[in-house]
Amino acid sequence: MSMTEPSAGLRERLVDVGVELVAGEGVQALTLREIARRAGVSHGAPRRHFPTHLELLSAIARRGFAELADRTTAALGEVEAGGKEPVADARARLTELGRVYLEFALGNPGMYELMFRHDLLESGHLGLRDTSLPLFGVLVDLVGRVRPDAHAPTVAGALWANLHGVAQLWSWGSLQLATGSDDFMPVLRTALDAHLGPEAPA
């Protein structure tokens, strides 16, 4: 890579390298020095685009949230703003959303860890909320349609925490051992039943 690479191109390259690095070696490998080395630039070059390590990590995490959002949109399809749907459809969408979330978490463990490491990323001005909160908003909306009697953000938060725990325990192999299954879908459906009530018979 040329040391005279245009500014915007270098910024994207640094993020690209970070995405590759976290996928291959995990969060602990994301040092400014290592990213600069792999991008073929001086150790100080990243500071021109990302004054702090936090800002570079946040830019990398934004890529993860963007990919998860794209997968969610593809799986659920576009929903008209303010549109209503039968409860069964909302329940089916929640099942699909949970499946997409778990597949992303298990297929991208390094990025997934980074995305939710708020001890590393906590900041109100780096734009992560612009990508993470809309995803949670989709979950809240669907929960509200299935459970109009409940405070949807609280139920959605509990469900999200449950999914996060499933993802972590599954990645360690603990749930497979405990349940005797290599399919996480029964665990997902049981978690949905616990937070939403049993699914209505077809």
Side-chain angles (χ1 to χ4, degrees):
M1 173 174 294
S2 169
M3 298 295 283
T4 60
E5 180 177 4
S7 178
L10 177 55
R11 188 183 195 285
E12 288 303 301
R13 174 61 181 156
L14 291 168
V15 177
D16 289 343
V17 168
V19 170
E20 294 166 6
L21 193 57
V22 76
E25 300 184 27
V27 172
Q28 68 281 355
L30 291 175
T31 65
L32 284 173
R33 181 176 292 269
E34 182 60 14
I35 290 172
R37 186 185 73 79
R38 295 199 183 200
V41 297
S42 68
H43 295 155
R47 298 283 186 188
R48 294 198 296 271
H49 304 280
F50 303 99
T52 67
H53 190 209
L54 172 65
E55 291 183 73
L56 178 53
L57 292 180
S58 295
I60 295 166
R62 279 179 68 93
R63 290 277 189 89
F65 280 114
E67 181 181 346
L68 180 56
D70 287 345
R71 292 191 187 194
T72 299
T73 298
L76 301 185
E78 297 293 340
V79 181
E80 291 183 10
K84 298 297 182 183
E85 59 189 10
V87 168
D89 289 347
R91 179 62 174 259
R93 285 172 177 263
L94 278 167
T95 302
E96 187 67 3
L97 182 61
R99 181 191 65 77
V100 168
Y101 184 87
L102 290 175
E103 286 183 351
F104 177 86
L106 298 172
N108 305 274
M111 178 63 81
Y112 180 74
E113 179 185 355
L114 176 64
M115 287 162 62
F116 297 106
R117 283 287 302 273
H118 290 290
D119 57 323
L120 295 177
L121 301 177
E122 186 174 4
S123 175
H125 69 280
L126 298 177
L128 279 179
R129 293 174 185 173
D130 297 338
T131 49
S132 60
L133 287 181
L135 286 171
F136 185 65
V138 171
L139 181 61
V140 171
D141 178 65
L142 291 172
V143 166
R145 296 182 189 202
V146 178
R147 289 280 312 275
D149 59 310
H151 184 248
T154 301
V155 175
L159 176 57
W160 176 30
N162 200 163
L163 291 176
H164 195 87
V166 170
Q168 188 66 76
L169 291 171
W170 200 268
S171 72
W172 290 336
S174 302
L175 275 177
Q176 296 93 314
L177 182 63
T179 63
S181 174
D182 290 324
D183 180 8
F184 63 66
M185 288 303 295
V187 176
L188 170 60
R189 292 193 177 96
T190 301
L192 290 170
D193 286 348
H195 294 286
L196 306 174
E199 187 170 9

